[in-house]
């Protein structure tokens, strides 16, 4: 008996397992090494989705079904090791959503938290908590749990963003609630930019009391985040694994912007060769600028702007760039940190 091997199966033992099995018992020693593993073992595999192909198929879907009929016109990015489960990693969902000019994706709300990362088009909007925000390339937008949200596109061009949701986590806890609103769009009761002015300028309203774990900012514009990376690069203090990597925060408590999902933005300079890194949070990356490749568990994935790739839990990853590159990423790190699971490891090149 050990953590890695199973005991021999004798006819007497098998007969016993069969007998108790009929009454909903299972001997631990037959399954222990499968359920408590010395290292993370996952069906989640490394994979890359090329944006050019995704865009073509999304636009094709645009001719087949409206946003209204679909509720959300999304192509799920389904991990090849987790087909049929609507998961990009074991704990997270991702998809690419298309909203065509003039369309509305109707108002609804659910227990699941959502993030949007804008990859194509400009000027569509999402409304949350009575405020409408315009979405532009690279913006990181959050929808808190149980918040009404509807999307629309008054621009002239199709808009595509990546959705990241904690759907598998909520399913795991059997805690899903969802409801539709009786009107297509929620009432707009605040001016655009109000929450950013209140909470996104390194100030808070003087008597502000924290209400929940979600950031009160719901659009983190790319222009601001990108500019920050550009200013920091002058100091040349590149992390050997991550280049310059920042995390999106809730300004009220300095924690991650969402209670279950962590999001990051990083700059890697041209010709960067990272040291190997792994962590227990499987991560979804979107290349926003530049070209390069990531070697994930020994397999190389070439990426360019808007391509999406996934790094499984505890898989070694190194990044290599040709030109300056910017990577957005998200993972369940904040959930793992709260639960006391999260680990990381660095290696020399
Ligand atoms: O935009 O509200 O990709 O509810 C999946 C479920 C997006 C959304 C998704 C959703 C949404």
């Amino acid at each position: 008996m050990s953590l890695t091997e199973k005991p021999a199966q004798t006819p007497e033992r098998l007969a016993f397992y069969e007998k108790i099995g009929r009454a909903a018992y299972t001997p631990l020693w037959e399954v222990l090494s499968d359920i408590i593993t010395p290292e993370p073992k996952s069906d989640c595999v490394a994979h890359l989705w090329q944006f050019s192909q995704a865009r073509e198929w999304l636009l094709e879907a645009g001719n087949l079904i409206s946003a209204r009929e679909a509720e959300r016109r999304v192509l799920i990015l389904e991990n090849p090791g987790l087909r049929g489960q609507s998961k990009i990693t074991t704990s997270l969902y991702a998809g690419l959503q298309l909203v065509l000019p003039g369309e509305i994706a109707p108002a609804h709300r659910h227990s699941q938290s959502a993030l949007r990362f804008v990859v194509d088009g400009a000027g569509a909007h999402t409304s949350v908590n009575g405020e409408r925000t315009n979405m532009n390339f690279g913006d990181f937008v959050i929808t808190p749990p149980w918040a009404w949200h509807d999307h629309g596109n008054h621009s002239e061009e199709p808009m595509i963003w990546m959705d990241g949701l904690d759907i598998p986590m909520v399913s795991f806890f059997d805690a899903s609630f969802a409801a539709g609103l009786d009107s297509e769009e929620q009432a707009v009761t605040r001016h655009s930019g109000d929450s950013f002015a209140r909470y996104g300028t390194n100030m808070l309203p003087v008597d502000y009391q924290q209400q929940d774990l979600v950031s009160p900012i719901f659009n983190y514009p790319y222009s601001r985040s990108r500019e920050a990376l550009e200013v920091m690069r002058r100091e040349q203090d590149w992390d050997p694994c991550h280049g310059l990597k920042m995390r999106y925060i809730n300004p009220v408590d300095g924690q991650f912007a969402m209670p279950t999902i962590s999001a990051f933005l990083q700059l890697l300079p041209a010709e960067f060769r990272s040291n190997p890194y792994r962590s227990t949070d499987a991560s979804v990356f979107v290349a926003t600028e530049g070209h390069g490749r990531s070697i994930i568990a020994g397999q190389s994935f070439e990426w360019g702007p808007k391509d999406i790739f996934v790094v499984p839990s505890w898989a070694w990853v190194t990044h290599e760039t040709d030109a300056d590159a910017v990577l957005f990423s998200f993972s369940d790190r904040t959930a793992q940190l709260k639960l006391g699971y999260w680990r990381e490891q660095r290696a020399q090149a």
Side-chain angles (χ1 to χ4, degrees), residues 17-67:
Y17 304 158
E18 168 69 20
K19 178 176 68 183
I20 65 170
R22 278 182 254 123
Y25 296 89
T26 290
L28 172 63
W29 56 89
E30 281 296 297
V31 296
L32 181 60
S33 60
D34 300 324
I35 59 175
I36 300 186
T37 58
E39 290 198 352
K41 256 171 95 174
S42 178
D43 291 328
C44 173
V45 296
H47 190 73
L48 181 140
W49 291 265
Q50 254 161 6
F51 184 71
S52 54
Q53 176 70 85
R55 186 173 197 277
E56 187 187 317
W57 282 336
L58 270 168
L59 293 174
E60 200 177 325
N63 291 322
L64 288 173
I65 191 163
S66 67

Side-chain angles (χ1 to χ4, degrees), residues 165-236:
L165 285 87
D166 56 3
I167 293 171
M169 272 191 240
V170 175
S171 300
F172 178 77
F173 291 109
D174 284 334
S176 178
F177 293 91
L181 192 64
D182 37 20
S183 71
E184 284 217 303
E185 293 179 288
Q186 65 186 285
V188 175
T189 56
R190 311 183 79 89
H191 293 97
S192 289
D194 183 77
S195 61
F196 196 81
R198 279 170 208 271
Y199 311 111
T201 56
N202 300 316
M203 296 189 287
L204 290 174
V206 63
D207 291 320
Y208 185 79
Q209 298 282 327
Q210 184 164 17
Q211 287 156 28
D212 51 37
L213 299 174
V214 191
S215 172
I217 302 173
F218 72 106
N219 188 344
Y220 294 73
Y222 190 62
S223 53
R224 302 265 308 227
S225 313
R226 184 67 185 86
E227 170 68 13
L229 291 170
E230 211 49 45
V231 172
M232 284 188 298
R233 77 179 303 162
R234 298 181 199 149
E235 304 305 326
Q236 299 281 331

Side-chain angles (χ1 to χ4, degrees), residues 55-343:
R55 186 173 197 277
E56 187 187 317
W57 282 336
L58 270 168
L59 293 174
E60 200 177 325
N63 291 322
L64 288 173
I65 191 163
S66 67
R68 186 172 282 125
E69 192 192 349
E71 181 85 11
R72 297 293 185 262
R73 190 200 294 106
V74 175
L75 296 183
I76 301 176
L77 303 173
E78 210 168 62
N79 192 284
L82 304 167
R83 293 311 306 270
Q85 301 180 52
S86 305
K87 297 174 173 183
I88 190 161
T89 69
T90 304
S91 63
L92 293 168
Y93 159 103
L96 284 168
Q97 177 158 183
L98 170 70
V99 186
L100 289 170
E103 282 195 315
I104 293 168
H108 70 198
R109 62 177 174 175
H110 39 66
S111 313
Q112 291 79 4
S113 297
L115 67 82
R116 331 278 171 193
F117 187 76
V118 181
V119 286
D120 208 49
H125 63 266
T126 188
S127 299
V128 173
N129 293 329
E131 183 178 333
R132 192 170 269 189
T133 189
N134 274 315
M135 298 165 79
N136 293 302
F137 176 74
D139 290 356
F140 166 62
V141 177
I142 64 181
T143 309
W146 208 238
W148 293 110
H149 53 287
D150 46 273
H151 316 304
N153 186 351
H154 294 314
S155 84
E156 305 285 299
E157 39 176 342
M159 172 100 179
I160 299 172
W161 63 73
M162 180 186 65
D163 290 317
L165 285 87
D166 56 3
I167 293 171
M169 272 191 240
V170 175
S171 300
F172 178 77
F173 291 109
D174 284 334
S176 178
F177 293 91
L181 192 64
D182 37 20
S183 71
E184 284 217 303
E185 293 179 288
Q186 65 186 285
V188 175
T189 56
R190 311 183 79 89
H191 293 97
S192 289
D194 183 77
S195 61
F196 196 81
R198 279 170 208 271
Y199 311 111
T201 56
N202 300 316
M203 296 189 287
L204 290 174
V206 63
D207 291 320
Y208 185 79
Q209 298 282 327
Q210 184 164 17
Q211 287 156 28
D212 51 37
L213 299 174
V214 191
S215 172
I217 302 173
F218 72 106
N219 188 344
Y220 294 73
Y222 190 62
S223 53
R224 302 265 308 227
S225 313
R226 184 67 185 86
E227 170 68 13
L229 291 170
E230 211 49 45
V231 172
M232 284 188 298
R233 77 179 303 162
R234 298 181 199 149
E235 304 305 326
Q236 299 281 331
D237 49 359
W238 305 101
D239 178 281
C241 294
H242 304 309
L244 283 173
K245 186 167 180 175
M246 303 292 279
R247 59 190 184 90
Y248 290 91
I249 64 156
N250 175 347
V252 180
D253 60 9
Q255 297 300 305
F256 287 96
M258 306 169 71
T260 51
I261 307 178
S262 298
F264 309 87
L265 193 71
Q266 73 194 100
L267 175 67
L268 305 169
E271 309 297 334
F272 190 70
R273 297 288 175 270
S274 82
N275 279 358
Y277 177 83
R278 63 181 178 176
S279 61
T280 53
D281 54 324
S283 299
V284 178
F285 286 86
V286 186
T288 63
E289 296 174 31
H291 290 266
R293 66 208 61 78
S294 297
I295 295 93
I296 310 167
Q299 201 185 344
S300 182
F301 294 88
E302 289 284 334
W303 41 259
K306 309 183 182 193
D307 291 341
I308 299 175
F309 60 96
V310 57
V311 179
S313 167
W314 217 235
W316 286 108
V317 60
T318 54
H319 304 295
E320 302 182 358
T321 57
D322 302 327
D324 278 3
V326 178
L327 300 176
F328 171 83
S329 59
F330 73 98
S331 77
D332 64 11
R333 185 187 303 188
T334 185
Q336 291 198 35
L337 284 166
K338 289 175 182 117
L339 298 171
Y341 300 152
W342 187 72
R343 282 202 205 185

